């Protein structure tokens, strides 16, 4: 008896047979129909779909035979898979290779055998569709073709099995990945290590590791072992060359090794040290750079080998890990920046029912409000209660105004400090309206107590000096006016010219002192504001007429756009005219000769808007953060071309705040500017 030889690709063939997932599975009608049909077609008592395993032949379908398997070394099918064509033995008793075979000399007393190899799509011959008879018989070429046709049908069923298995595996893998991505509980370490445990179970591997790679150093970030017994631990650092990752990194893509001892990597230091026989890994890419790896390993070879689905699973899981690492690093960076930022960074949310929370507040909330972030996350009252009683109403009002208009919130107020003293703080935030109609601000609050004290000292000094200078300057200006008016007789032309310059500069200095006193009074709240309800258009017309002579001198045309005269506001007419005059004088000052300055009054939501537009150079980008500060001028050099004190816009801003209004601008450098004043509309009685 001749024992069947093994095919040249035996190891590959056996892996393919295991991967087919056909061995040791229950009978299926789709295969049993074929063996029944073949038995009737060829009029034989036995027809089998045989799969040739390592030491046995196992029957996926059997017609006319009672056993499920026989030994491979006495099988006819072991000979049939050695070639691509059907294998036929017409009379086993006359064939010296089979005459003394136990299957011939005993049950089932085979005399005739014909087997067509069954191959997968890669050409691996997994078994046969075979016919057996207890009597010898001839087998024609037509019979061979018919047997081949039936074998092709079996192969097609094998392919369907493969496709079904493929999609089932894909579905399972995607479901697992979906569950992992939705698991958001606990810390980053908890989430990753839970994911590694699930993946280890799915892949049937022993050890899972997420590593970081820095230069030639390999560091374990997180790991999971199904049967903990090794010395692996988070934070362990090894030379990269001693790890399996040294094989992965040069590839830049997923790597699968089914049996390390039989691979070309068997002499590498990593295998000699760890002795992992199977290995599946993918690099972790962040911003176009490999920063680590996700790997799964086991001490036993992989039989069958890793599937494409498993390789894809690990690659996709590595992307998820990359996102986790990226978000963790970004969060760490932000935490470090926030920890070193002065004051507190925060989000403040005002809900439709009126209650407020701090969804996010940095650690600085402890220094500003002497509360923890946790204490104010669900209720902001513990922080708000620490605002000075004299400032609380104004702060609440400013928050509500910002919410109603969706304009930036800016406020200075006092809070109760940890040492029980009151300190000045300043807050700025930008509002955002959410779909549920709540308002969410993003901003910061800083301690400005020292700055506030210094400003008070400076303002007091300026006020004192200004008061002391006003009287003598008034006297000097009056005297110079009388002299220039001829009170002392005729003056030489040169003397008159010098006195005119002195008179003009004295008038300018008086104007500066008046502005300084005005802004000091506004800041300190010493200006009496008398609000009356009246048409805004009347005040605008008066301001235009007052500035017209200055505009004519500069050869600039003032043009008021037709606007509604019935828009009313609660204003102090004198102070609103002063604020508007500042805008008009600036517009005229910066307009080229023979150009227009336009004035428009319009309604914008619940606000009346007064817009002054010029065709000048616009506001330089570098100057915009300083534009409303005292003494701020776009050209602050000693040779600047435009006169002015740099106080006009600062005064205008203070005036508008005292009337619950705002001042702002829109400008594109080189294309002019539009400055505007806004006030709440007042309804007529």
């Amino acid at each position: 008896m001749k024992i069947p030889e093994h095919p040249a690709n035996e190891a590959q063939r056996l892996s393919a047979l295991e991967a087919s997932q056909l061995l040791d599975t229950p009978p299926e009608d789709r295969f049993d129909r074929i063996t029944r049909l073949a038995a009737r077609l060829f009029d034989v008592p036995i027809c089998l779909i045989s799969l040739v395993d390592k030491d046995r032949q196992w029957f996926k379908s059997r017609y006319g035979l009672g056993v499920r398997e026989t030994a491979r070394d006495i099988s006819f099918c072991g000979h049939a898979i050695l070639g691509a064509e059907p294998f036929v033995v017409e009379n086993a008793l006359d064939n010296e290779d089979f005459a003394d075979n136990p299957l011939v000399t005993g049950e089932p007393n085979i005399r005739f055998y014909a087997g067509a190899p069954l191959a997968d799509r890669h050409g691996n011959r997994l078994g046969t569709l075979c016919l057996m008879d207890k009597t010898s018989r001839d087998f024609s070429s037509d019979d061979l073709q018919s047997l081949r046709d039936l074998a092709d049908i079996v192969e097609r069923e094998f392919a369907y099995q493969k496709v079904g298995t493929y999609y089932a595996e894909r579905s399972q893998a995607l479901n697992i990945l979906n569950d992992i991505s939705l698991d958001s509980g606990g810390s980053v370490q908890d989430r990753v290590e839970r994911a590694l445990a699930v993946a280890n179970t799915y892949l049937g591997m022993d050890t899972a590791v997420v590593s970081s790679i820095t230069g030639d150093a390999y560091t374990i970030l997180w790991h999971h072992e199904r049967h903990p017994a090794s010395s692996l631990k988070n934070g362990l650092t090894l030379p990269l060359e001693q790890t399996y990752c040294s094989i992965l990194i040069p590839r830049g893509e997923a790597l699968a090794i089914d049996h390390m001892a039989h691979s070309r990597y068997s002499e590498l230091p990593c295998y000699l040290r760890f002795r992992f026989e199977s290995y599946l890994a993918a690099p972790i890419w962040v911003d176009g750079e490999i920063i680590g790896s996700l790997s799964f390993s086991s001490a036993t070879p992989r039989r069958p080998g890793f599937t494409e689905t498993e390789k894809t699973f690990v690659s996709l899981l590595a992307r998820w890990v990359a996102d986790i690492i990226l978000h963790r690093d970004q969060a760490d960076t932000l935490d470090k920046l926030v920890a070193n930022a002065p004051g507190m960074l925060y989000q403040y949310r005002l809900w439709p029912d009126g209650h407020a929370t701090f969804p996010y507040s940095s650690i600085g909330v402890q220094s500003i409000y002497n509360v923890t972030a946790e204490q104010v996350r669900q209720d902001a009252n513990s922080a708000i209660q620490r605002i000075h009683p004299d400032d609380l109403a104004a702060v609440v009002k400013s928050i509500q105004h910002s919410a109603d208009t969706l304009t930036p919130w800016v406020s200075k107020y006092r809070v109760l400090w940890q040492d029980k003293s009151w300190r000045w703080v300043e807050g700025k935030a930008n509002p955002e309206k959410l779909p549920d109609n709540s308002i969410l601000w993003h901003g910061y609050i800083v301690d400005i107590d020292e700055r506030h004290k210094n400003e008070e000292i400076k303002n007091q000094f300026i006020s004192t000096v200004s008061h002391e200078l006003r009287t003598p300057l008034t006297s000097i200006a009056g005297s110079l006016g009388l002299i220039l008016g001829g009170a002392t007789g005729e003056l030489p032309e040169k003397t008159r010219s010098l006195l005119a310059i002195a008179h003009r500069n004295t008038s300018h200095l008086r104007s500066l002192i008046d502005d300084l006193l005005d802004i000091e009074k506004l800041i300190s709240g010493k200006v009496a504001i008398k609000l009356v309800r009246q048409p805004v258009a009347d005040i605008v017309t008066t301001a235009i007429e007052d500035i017209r002579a200055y505009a004519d001198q500069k050869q600039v045309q003032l043009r008021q756009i037709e606007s509604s005269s019935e828009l009313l506001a609660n204003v102090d007419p004198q102070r609103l005219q002063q604020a508007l005059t500042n805008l008009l004088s600036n517009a005229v000052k910066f307009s080229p000769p023979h150009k227009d300055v336009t004035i428009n009054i319009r309604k914008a939501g619940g606000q009346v808007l007064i817009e002054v537009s010029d065709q000048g150079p616009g506001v330089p980008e570098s100057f915009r953060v300083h534009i409303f500060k005292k003494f701020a001028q776009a050209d602050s050099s000693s040779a600047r071309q435009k006169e002015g004190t740099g106080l006009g816009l600062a005064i205008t801003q203070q005036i508008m705040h005292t009337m619950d209004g705002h001042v702002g601008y829109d400008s594109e450098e080189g294309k002019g500017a539009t400055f505007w004043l806004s006030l709440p509309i007042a309804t007529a009685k």
Side-chain angles (χ1 to χ4, degrees):
M1 181 190 74
K2 183 178 181 181
I3 295 174
E5 298 175 358
H6 286 185
N9 67 336
E10 177 67 1
Q12 177 181 317
R13 190 193 70 81
L14 288 174
S15 292
L17 177 59
E18 288 192 50
S20 72
Q21 298 186 13
L22 290 166
L23 285 171
D24 300 311
T25 57
E28 297 180 60
D29 286 344
R30 59 191 178 120
F31 293 116
D32 291 344
R33 278 192 294 269
I34 296 172
T35 54
R36 283 198 306 269
L37 178 61
R40 292 169 187 165
L41 177 63
F42 292 103
D43 191 22
V44 294
I46 299 173
C47 182
L48 307 172
I49 294 176
S50 173
L51 300 174
V52 181
D53 199 2
K54 182 179 179 182
D55 298 312
R56 61 172 178 159
Q57 60 173 352
W58 181 83
F59 308 128
K60 175 61 182 172
S61 178
R62 51 197 171 90
Y63 180 85
L65 189 66
V67 297
R68 293 291 295 175
E69 62 182 57
T70 61
R72 178 177 178 175
D73 59 359
I74 61 171
S75 69
F76 283 68
C77 296
H79 295 276
I81 64 171
L82 296 176
E85 299 301 322
F87 179 74
V88 179
V89 177
E90 293 183 342
N91 190 342
L93 291 176
D94 292 341
N95 189 314
E96 62 181 14
D97 291 339
F98 298 100
D100 56 351
N101 188 299
L103 299 178
V104 175
T105 59
E107 289 292 334
N109 299 304
I110 298 173
R111 297 294 182 267
F112 167 80
Y113 174 90
L118 301 173
D120 65 9
R121 62 189 183 93
H122 300 293
N124 298 301
R125 292 188 282 274
L126 308 182
T128 69
L129 171 64
C130 64
L131 309 172
M132 299 179 188
D133 201 345
K134 296 178 180 292
T135 61
S136 60
R137 57 187 296 173
D138 296 331
F139 208 65
S140 67
S141 58
D142 288 342
D143 292 334
L144 287 172
Q145 185 59 54
S146 295
L147 181 60
R148 183 65 263 168
D149 290 342
L150 289 171
D152 289 345
I153 295 174
V154 176
E155 289 181 349
R156 186 180 64 180
E157 292 298 327
F158 282 2
Y160 289 159
Q161 171 89 7
K162 189 72 173 178
V163 170
T165 300
Y166 172 81
Y167 283 111
E169 286 180 352
R170 286 269 164 159
S171 179
Q172 181 187 11
L174 291 175
N175 286 338
I176 292 172
L177 289 170
N178 186 58
D179 290 343
I180 288 172
S181 66
L182 293 176
D183 179 8
S184 58
S187 65
V188 169
Q189 178 173 329
D190 292 339
R191 293 177 62 196
V192 174
E193 292 189 348
R194 283 198 301 269
L196 295 180
V198 170
N200 247 348
T201 301
Y202 164 67
L203 294 170
M205 301 295 279
D206 295 335
T207 304
V209 173
V210 173
S211 72
S212 69
I213 298 170
T214 307
D216 293 328
Y218 170 100
T219 302
I220 297 175
L221 296 179
W222 305 289
H223 78 289
H224 174 264
E225 296 177 273
R226 293 178 70 189
H227 311 290
S230 70
S231 58
L232 295 181
K233 61 181 180 180
N234 295 349
L236 176 65
T237 297
L238 300 168
L240 179 62
E241 64 178 11
Q242 294 183 15
T243 69
Y244 284 60
C245 200
S246 62
I247 310 172
L248 171 71
I249 297 306
R251 293 171 55 92
E253 60 184 9
L255 170 66
I257 302 173
D258 300 330
H259 195 169
M260 192 73 172
H262 293 170
S263 73
R264 57 194 178 97
Y265 307 114
S266 59
E267 298 301 321
L268 292 179
C270 58
Y271 177 62
L272 299 177
R273 175 173 180 173
F274 292 103
R275 292 292 178 181
F276 290 133
E277 291 294 351
S278 52
Y279 178 78
L280 178 60
I284 298 173
W285 290 87
V286 173
D287 294 333
E289 178 184 0
I290 296 177
I291 58 96
S293 68
L294 168 65
S295 65
F296 298 87
S297 51
S298 183
T300 58
R302 185 72 170 187
R303 291 285 302 273
F306 293 108
T307 65
E308 290 302 317
T309 296
E310 290 167 338
K311 296 174 189 176
T312 302
F313 171 86
V314 172
S315 295
L316 293 176
L317 186 57
R319 292 186 190 180
W320 176 81
V321 173
D323 285 341
I324 291 289
I325 291 175
L326 179 61
H327 292 157
R328 181 204 63 174
D329 291 349
Q330 289 174 340
D332 287 347
T333 299
L334 180 60
D335 288 343
K336 291 174 183 176
L337 292 173
V338 167
N340 288 282
M344 64 176 281
L345 302 179
Y346 70 93
Q347 289 179 315
Y348 179 81
R349 187 170 184 177
L350 183 62
W351 296 78
D353 65 2
H355 87 280
T357 62
F358 284 94
Y360 169 80
S361 53
S362 68
I363 194 171
V365 71
Q366 296 181 8
S367 62
I368 297 294
Y369 287 119
N370 197 25
V371 295
T372 65
E374 189 61 36
Q375 285 176 303
V376 293
R377 185 168 291 121
Q378 300 299 326
D379 187 351
N381 277 336
S382 58
I384 293 173
Q385 289 171 359
R386 300 185 71 82
I387 297 175
H388 195 288
D390 294 346
D391 301 335
L392 181 57
V395 172
V396 171
K397 186 176 181 180
S398 66
I399 293 172
Q400 191 60 53
H401 181 271
S402 177
D404 294 341
T405 61
L406 293 181
T407 53
W409 174 75
V410 180
S411 186
K412 296 178 183 178
Y413 53 95
R414 288 162 291 177
V415 297
L416 184 61
W417 216 246
Q418 298 177 24
D419 61 2
K420 304 304 180 182
S421 66
W422 294 101
R423 292 180 70 91
W424 283 92
V425 297
E426 180 180 48
K428 294 183 180 181
N430 288 314
E432 171 190 2
K433 192 167 187 177
L434 302 182
D436 65 352
N437 289 325
S438 62
I439 308 296
L440 181 67
W441 284 265
H442 311 267
Y444 66 88
I445 298 173
V446 292
D447 176 10
I448 61 164
D449 198 67
E450 290 301 322
R451 190 180 83 193
H452 186 81
K453 291 176 181 176
N454 291 336
E455 285 182 353
E456 283 188 329
I457 294 171
K458 180 181 68 176
N459 291 336
Q460 185 62 42
F461 172 76
I462 291 173
S463 176
T464 301
V465 171
S466 299
H467 277 290
E468 294 298 325
L469 287 175
R470 173 180 268 183
T471 300
L473 276 174
T474 300
S475 176
I476 292 170
S479 298
L480 289 173
L482 289 171
I483 293 171
L484 288 170
T488 60
E490 289 296 322
L491 298 171
E493 187 59 35
K494 188 172 183 180
T495 301
R496 174 175 289 278
S497 175
L498 292 172
L499 288 173
I501 293 171
H503 187 262
R504 186 168 60 251
N505 287 340
T506 302
S507 296
H508 178 68
L509 189 54
R510 283 182 60 195
S511 176
L512 170 61
I513 289 173
D514 287 342
D515 282 349
L516 284 170
L517 291 173
D518 272 349
I519 197 165
E520 188 273 331
K521 290 177 183 177
L522 286 164
I523 292 173
S524 62
K526 296 177 182 177
V527 174
I529 299 294
K530 299 178 181 179
L531 300 180
V532 293
R533 182 187 289 105
Q534 74 174 77
V536 173
D538 294 347
I539 302 171
V540 172
T541 300
T542 302
I544 291 173
E545 291 307 316
D546 285 353
I547 204 72
R548 194 174 296 281
Y550 178 59
D552 292 342
Q553 178 188 340
K554 295 291 186 178
Q555 299 181 329
V556 173
Q557 182 67 36
L558 298 177
R559 184 165 59 87
Q560 184 173 359
I561 299 173
E562 288 295 329
S563 54
S564 173
S565 61
E566 62 266 3
L567 287 174
L568 304 176
N570 292 317
V571 298
D572 183 318
Q574 180 184 350
R575 291 301 174 183
L576 179 58
Q577 182 178 333
Q578 180 183 0
L580 182 56
T581 299
N582 285 335
L583 299 190
L584 288 169
S585 63
N586 279 345
V588 170
K589 182 195 310 181
F590 289 101
S591 291
H594 311 297
K595 295 294 184 180
D596 290 347
V597 169
T598 59
I599 302 95
N600 183 31
I601 307 171
R602 65 183 177 88
K603 182 179 179 182
Q607 302 280 309
V608 56
L609 214 61
I610 308 169
E611 298 173 317
V612 178
S613 302
D614 64 55
Q615 301 178 54
V619 181
E621 188 72 35
S622 59
F623 179 62
R624 296 184 182 188
V625 296
H626 308 290
I627 194 167
F628 291 108
K629 294 180 179 178
K630 290 179 289 185
F631 304 106
Q633 292 182 314
D635 179 6
S636 59
S637 66
S638 59
R640 64 174 183 263
Q641 299 177 357
K642 307 296 181 182
E643 72 279 4
T645 63
L647 289 170
L649 288 177
I651 291 172
T652 298
Q653 186 180 59
Q654 289 296 326
I655 289 173
M656 296 309 295
H657 282 174
T658 62
M659 296 188 294
D660 290 333
H662 293 277
V663 58
Y665 69 95
D666 300 296
S667 178
E668 184 176 348
E669 195 167 348
K671 296 185 179 180
T674 295
F675 280 78
W676 50 263
L677 306 175
S678 71
L679 289 159
I681 293 175
T683 56
K685 288 186 177 179

